[in-house]
């Protein structure tokens, strides 16, 4: 389906522990596939295979287990939630958060977890406004 095809822009971060472009270039060198294949295609027993969400979920759970984190508390959706919250904290505009997560609706707003400091911002702004108004 044409609506299911989207582009994810990624940035190179040279000399960093996590360089998405470098990691992907390494991946496609190790697992070359024809251009018409999905981005995460790999070879297994001489056959081209596609990395599925289920496989990704299992790899995530194995990684969580190795890190000693509670596997049942996290899943692939946790990454979407965490990304939306981080982007919000970094003051990325809502439209870009929505685009980055490929959300078609405004539902991503439910995934954003606000920190205690973020929850205090409206109160602090009102207090500052009040102080400024009465000090004139």
């Amino acid at each position: 389906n044409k609506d299911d095809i989207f582009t994810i822009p990624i940035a190179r971060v040279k000399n960093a522990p996590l360089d998405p472009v470098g990691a992907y270039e390494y991946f496609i060198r190790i697992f070359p596939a024809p251009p018409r294949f999905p981005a995460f295609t790999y070879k297994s027993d001489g056959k081209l295979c596609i990395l599925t969400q289920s496989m990704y979920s299992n790899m995530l759970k194995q990684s969580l287990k190795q890190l000693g984190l509670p596997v049942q508390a996290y899943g692939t959706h946790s990454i979407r939630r965490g990304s939306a919250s981080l982007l919000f904290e970094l003051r990325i505009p809502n439209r870009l958060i929505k685009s980055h997560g490929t959300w078609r609706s405004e539902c991503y707003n439910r995934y954003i977890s606000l920190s205690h400091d973020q929850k205090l911002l409206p109160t602090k702004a009102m207090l500052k406004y009040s102080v400024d108004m009465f000090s004139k």
Side-chain angles (χ1 to χ4, degrees):
N1 183 347
K2 185 178 178 187
D3 291 338
D4 293 338
I5 298 172
F6 55 88
T7 303
I8 302 172
I10 57 175
R12 181 176 298 282
V13 187
K14 289 186 178 187
N15 303 319
L18 179 60
D19 172 13
V21 173
Y24 187 68
E25 287 173 345
Y26 176 75
F27 178 85
I28 60 175
R29 255 193 328 274
I30 302 295
F31 303 110
R36 70 181 187 286
F37 276 69
F40 295 99
T41 301
Y42 64 97
K43 247 184 198 166
S44 178
D45 296 326
K47 296 179 183 178
L48 287 176
C49 303
I50 297 167
L51 178 66
T52 64
Q53 182 176 353
S54 173
M55 293 164 68
Y56 173 65
S57 178
N58 289 336
M59 287 189 296
L60 176 63
K61 290 186 184 301
Q62 284 180 333
S63 298
L64 291 168
K65 189 175 180 180
Q66 287 175 340
L67 293 169
L69 295 170
V71 173
Q72 57 280 19
Y74 301 97
T76 55
H77 204 68
S78 303
I79 293 171
R80 287 177 64 77
R81 288 186 69 113
S83 295
S85 295
L86 175 61
L87 292 171
F88 180 80
E89 187 173 330
L90 295 172
R91 300 183 193 275
I92 300 300
N94 285 352
R95 185 173 180 185
L96 293 177
I97 295 172
K98 182 178 176 180
S99 172
H100 183 77
T102 65
W103 283 288
R104 292 183 180 151
S105 72
E106 303 302 314
C107 71
Y108 72 92
N109 283 300
R110 296 186 312 228
Y111 302 147
I112 295 173
S113 299
L114 300 175
S115 69
H116 178 72
D117 288 342
Q118 288 169 325
K119 290 177 185 177
L120 283 174
L121 286 174
T123 303
K124 287 179 178 180
M126 288 188 293
L127 287 170
K128 182 180 178 336
Y129 177 81
S130 298
V131 168
D132 290 347
M133 276 298 278
F134 291 108
S135 65
K136 290 181 179 182

